[in-house]
Amino acid sequence: MLDKVKVLAMLPDGLHVTTRMVAEYFEVSHDTVKTLVKRHREELSSHGLRTLRGSELRFFERSTMDPSEGSYPQGRVHLTLFTRRTVLNAALLLRDSEVARAVRRYLLDAEEAGRAHREAVGDRPPPERSLEARMTVVESCLADVGAALRDLGPVLRRTSDRLDRIDERLDGMDRRIAFMDRRLDSTNQVVCAMSERMAGMDVRLRQLREETARCPRPRGGRR
């Protein structure tokens, strides 16, 4: 419905837009949209408005946004996100926007056409939902998936941190085992050298015994 009036550019996740992108869509100032959110936050939040902070924001930026494309400035402390439904809600609230007025006119025309159709068919339900209705259902399902991924993000982060700590411990154990292997190699070399020396001494002792045995003994017990 929004795209029929003006194409709405989405973030790379295909589900959300930022405050700046909403302002560009409705051709109003950034402060105008911020004021609108401040005045109607409860209503907009009920239709999908979210504000990310901390680890949730960092996870969203890493997983769904591309810094190289300039989708968001670096170092922000929070990020307000609109869904298509929230943008449509904002179109009903904005006053000084030609695009918002065009969206409202389209909604009124669609409602009038739908009422005329119901009257023509005797208020019977249509045999098949329109493509727009099916797309709305799909978008709502994707929004649920996004919320589930958002809730899963902190769990994945904690699991990743634990795995990193386990990797560090394993690396430390590998370094200790390598050090012990080097010490064992040195010890083996020393033992081998001592064994060779002792074998040489044993050979020398046998030679000395043989030489001593061959020497003649003095007569008369005189030495």
Side-chain angles (χ1 to χ4, degrees), residues 7-219:
V7 175
L8 177 63
M10 307 295 289
L11 291 176
D13 68 345
L15 298 175
H16 301 92
V17 294
T18 63
T19 304
R20 176 183 58 79
M21 296 168 72
V22 173
E24 291 177 353
Y25 177 79
F26 289 116
E27 299 175 2
V28 296
S29 67
H30 186 270
D31 290 338
T32 299
V33 180
K34 291 175 62 177
T35 301
L36 180 74
V37 171
K38 184 176 181 181
R39 291 177 178 174
H40 304 278
R41 179 173 291 276
E42 183 176 356
E43 178 181 349
L44 293 171
S45 297
S46 67
H47 292 288
L49 182 76
R50 294 162 48 201
T51 300
L52 306 183
R53 292 182 174 83
S55 60
E56 188 179 25
L57 171 59
R58 291 192 294 274
F59 176 80
F60 182 84
E61 289 177 342
R62 288 197 307 270
S63 60
T64 62
M65 303 179 73
D66 186 0
S68 64
E69 296 181 357
S71 299
Y72 61 96
Q74 299 293 326
R76 67 162 68 240
V77 297
H78 62 83
L79 178 65
T80 300
L81 296 177
F82 293 71
T83 62
R84 284 183 179 271
R85 185 179 180 88
T86 319
V87 176
L88 187 60
N89 193 174
L92 302 177
L93 297 172
L94 279 170
R95 294 178 299 176
D96 300 328
S97 168
E98 289 296 331
V99 177
R101 281 192 282 269
V103 172
R104 290 195 292 271
R105 284 195 300 269
Y106 184 86
L107 288 172
L108 292 174
D109 293 341
E111 194 278 335
E112 184 176 352
R115 187 175 64 253
H117 175 75
R118 289 192 297 272
E119 292 175 353
V121 298
D123 203 25
R124 293 192 302 271
E128 184 179 3
R129 289 182 299 180
S130 66
L131 177 61
E132 291 182 3
R134 294 198 295 273
M135 288 299 297
T136 301
V137 173
V138 172
E139 289 177 355
S140 63
C141 293
L142 291 176
D144 294 337
V145 172
L149 291 175
R150 184 180 69 252
D151 295 336
L152 186 61
V155 178
L156 293 176
R157 180 59 182 274
R158 289 194 297 269
T159 303
S160 177
D161 292 340
R162 291 177 182 176
L163 291 176
D164 289 340
R165 289 195 294 270
I166 292 174
D167 287 340
E168 291 176 357
R169 293 177 182 176
L170 291 175
D171 289 340
M173 292 178 64
D174 289 340
R175 289 193 295 269
R176 293 177 183 176
I177 291 173
F179 176 72
M180 292 177 65
D181 287 341
R182 290 194 296 271
R183 293 195 63 180
L184 287 174
D185 290 339
S186 300
T187 303
N188 288 334
Q189 292 175 2
V190 173
V191 171
C192 290
M194 292 179 64
S195 297
E196 292 176 356
R197 293 190 63 181
M198 292 180 68
M201 292 175 65
D202 183 63
V203 171
R204 182 59 179 164
L205 285 173
R206 284 200 300 269
Q207 292 175 350
L208 288 174
R209 288 194 189 101
E210 292 174 355
E211 292 175 358
T212 302
R214 287 196 298 269
C215 290
R217 295 178 178 275
R219 294 181 179 181

